[in-house]
Amino acid sequence: MGIAIVLGVLYYLSIQVPETFEGYFRREYYSQFGPLAISIELLVAGYYVFNKHSKANFSLALFGFTAILDPIFNLAGLFTSMVPIYAMVLFTVCALAALWLAFTNTFDLGKITLLGAIWGFILGNAIELFFNYL
């Protein structure tokens, strides 16, 4: 949760507000919210794990898929990621740990179903593509 809070604050403070009304309707404005969304996903997943919520494994998988897809799409050339390299490395490490925790049911909070895993993957793709192809 600490990583999510620190990175979330950094991304929130780096958001540039447009000077004109038309600036709010440009892709560049909305794409800067992508790293903040990944941080919020990590924060929510950490909160659910900490409180032993039944949706913890799904939120861990959702964060894991979203955070893993960002560098994959970036390396594949689909878009240029707004996430800095240091944060991309941190998110990838956290994502791999989150996926491992989600699929092994380490905290005995209920196994994630196949449908839940597929839905997490689809939603992770949608989140990544939304902030990069809006």
Side-chain angles (χ1 to χ4, degrees):
M1 284 178 55
I3 292 172
I5 292 171
V6 170
L7 290 178
V9 168
L10 288 174
Y11 296 139
Y12 178 75
L13 294 175
S14 69
I15 292 175
Q16 298 175 356
V17 179
E19 294 178 11
T20 64
F21 184 70
E22 292 83 22
Y24 287 101
F25 299 102
R26 296 181 192 247
R27 183 175 155 220
E28 295 82 24
Y29 174 67
Y30 291 102
S31 66
Q32 62 186 339
F33 288 96
L36 181 61
I38 296 172
S39 296
I40 290 171
E41 285 181 10
L42 179 58
L43 182 66
V44 169
Y47 176 78
Y48 279 168
V49 168
F50 184 73
N51 288 323
K52 299 187 186 302
H53 194 275
S54 63
K55 299 291 183 186
N57 287 333
F58 175 76
S59 63
L60 284 168
L62 176 62
F63 161 74
F65 287 131
T66 305
I68 289 288
L69 289 169
D70 189 71
I72 290 173
F73 288 165
N74 187 32
L75 289 173
L78 292 175
F79 59 80
T80 302
S81 178
M82 296 294 292
V83 179
I85 296 296
Y86 70 90
M88 198 176 290
V89 170
L90 276 172
F91 280 149
T92 301
V93 170
C94 290
L96 292 173
L99 288 172
W100 181 74
L101 291 172
F103 289 112
T104 59
N105 193 25
T106 305
F107 299 108
D108 293 325
L109 299 173
K111 285 195 131 188
I112 189 168
T113 63
L114 178 62
L115 183 64
I118 292 170
W119 180 240
F121 180 75
I122 291 170
L123 199 54
N125 275 300
I127 291 168
E128 270 305 304
L129 295 175
F130 174 78
F131 285 110
N132 291 293
Y133 283 115
L134 180 67

